[in-house]
Amino acid sequence: MKFGKRIKEQIQESLPEWRDKFLRYKELKNLISSPAPVESIFVGLLNAEIDKFNAFFVEQEEDFIIHHKELQYRIQRLVEKCGHNDEMFRENISEIRKDIVNFHGEMVLLVNYSNINYTGLAKILKKYDKRTRGGLRSPFIQKVLHQPFFKTDLVSRLVREWETTMDAVFPVKVAEAEGYERCASVTSAAAGEGIFRNTVAALLTMKEMRRGSSTYSAFSLPPLNISDSDNVLRSLHLSSPIPIP
């Protein structure tokens, strides 16, 4: 799939309030085609895009840290309330299950946001260099590697922590026993479906973009660990409040 189509699909699959935060790939591509702007103007446009990425990413990351602590507190309070009463715990954890799944999903979407915007920058710079016969991509990408939006270590760590939490809170035997009864109502199912579908779409995109291929280069993101992403899908399957196709 061509990248222009991929990023368009990702924008459509993203949360509505995120859609104007992505790289303006089509506009930049059209600008290069007719005719390519001078380097200083083009770099200025890219820097404006990076400022947009950084502001959005840092804001989301800060919100995630706060939400992470709030969810941990809610679970701890529930553990203290239920003690060793597993049945009581299972009955009450359903109240925050959707919040946990949505939180995990939004963090996966943010990692994908970083991946797809970085990839878009690398590709648009390649097009610019080809059009101008210049060498802008390599030094510019070196700067990008130090930008806040590219540094996903913290969010990725939180994703792994909540995968572990979901495995502990929603164990396989409980999930299988409950089956589709976890869908409390049509309304709650519809509410959870959007974030679930967005998260799965993001995971599949990251797998595709980060797999090894003949086009892999020094500017490509490292391959995604397939077993890790499959574990995420498994965790989502077990904890999702809706039937998974």
Side-chain angles (χ1 to χ4, degrees):
M1 182 187 298
K2 290 189 175 181
F3 184 78
K5 184 177 180 181
R6 185 184 301 284
I7 192 170
K8 181 180 179 181
E9 287 185 357
Q10 280 301 293
I11 292 172
Q12 293 172 343
E13 291 282 357
S14 187
L15 301 174
E17 61 270 25
W18 289 31
R19 290 174 185 165
D20 62 347
K21 311 301 182 186
F22 286 82
L23 178 71
R24 296 181 301 155
Y25 183 81
K26 184 177 180 180
E27 291 89 336
L28 290 168
K29 181 181 175 182
N30 290 340
L31 183 63
I32 293 171
S33 301
S34 60
V38 297
E39 185 172 305
S40 60
I41 295 176
F42 187 65
V43 168
L45 293 172
L46 294 185
N47 284 335
E49 292 293 282
I50 289 174
D51 288 343
K52 176 178 70 178
F53 303 157
N54 286 339
F56 177 72
F57 187 91
V58 170
E59 180 183 15
Q60 293 299 311
E61 192 175 55
E62 291 173 349
D63 287 346
F64 288 164
I65 292 170
I66 294 171
H67 199 179
H68 169 72
K69 293 178 179 178
E70 289 175 344
L71 281 175
Q72 282 185 320
Y73 178 73
R74 289 173 65 187
I75 292 174
Q76 182 59 38
R77 286 290 302 272
L78 183 58
V79 169
E80 293 172 355
K81 174 184 175 182
C82 297
H84 297 292
N85 190 330
D86 292 341
E87 182 177 351
M88 181 180 179
F89 179 82
R90 286 197 298 270
E91 290 174 355
N92 284 272
I93 194 64
S94 61
E95 298 176 8
I96 60 174
R97 175 186 283 127
K98 182 186 166 198
D99 288 343
I100 294 173
V101 174
N102 284 352
F103 178 49
H104 174 270
E106 287 181 10
M107 290 190 294
V108 171
L109 291 177
L110 190 65
V111 174
N112 182 58
Y113 172 86
S114 170
N115 287 184
I116 203 161
N117 284 307
Y118 166 82
T119 303
L121 285 172
K123 288 185 176 295
I124 208 69
L125 282 160
K126 181 180 180 180
K127 291 182 180 297
Y128 182 82
D129 280 356
K130 183 177 180 180
R131 183 77 167 80
T132 63
R133 298 184 180 180
L136 177 61
R137 182 163 69 150
S138 183
F140 196 90
I141 287 296
Q142 288 303 312
K143 183 181 78 169
V144 171
L145 299 180
H146 299 285
Q147 298 300 314
F149 88 90
F150 184 77
K151 298 179 179 179
T152 61
D153 290 353
L154 173 60
V155 178
S156 296
R157 178 174 60 80
L158 291 178
V159 167
R160 290 192 296 270
E161 287 184 16
W162 283 100
E163 287 162 17
T164 300
T165 298
M166 287 192 289
D167 282 342
V169 173
F170 316 126
V172 175
K173 61 182 181 180
V174 173
E176 290 176 345
E178 291 180 350
Y180 292 154
E181 293 177 5
R182 289 175 295 167
C183 180
S185 67
V186 174
T187 302
S188 64
E193 185 173 3
I195 188 68
F196 177 80
R197 292 190 185 282
N198 292 344
T199 304
V200 171
L203 283 166
L204 294 176
T205 295
M206 284 191 284
K207 268 181 146 183
E208 181 67 24
M209 289 195 306
R210 300 180 67 160
R211 69 181 180 181
S213 71
S214 59
T215 59
Y216 191 83
S217 74
F219 302 102
S220 301
L221 290 161
L224 187 68
N225 187 311
I226 299 301
S227 61
D228 286 350
S229 59
D230 287 344
N231 284 340
V232 177
L233 288 169
R234 173 179 169 277
S235 295
L236 284 169
H237 182 276
L238 295 180
S239 54
S240 173
I242 61 170
I244 308 305

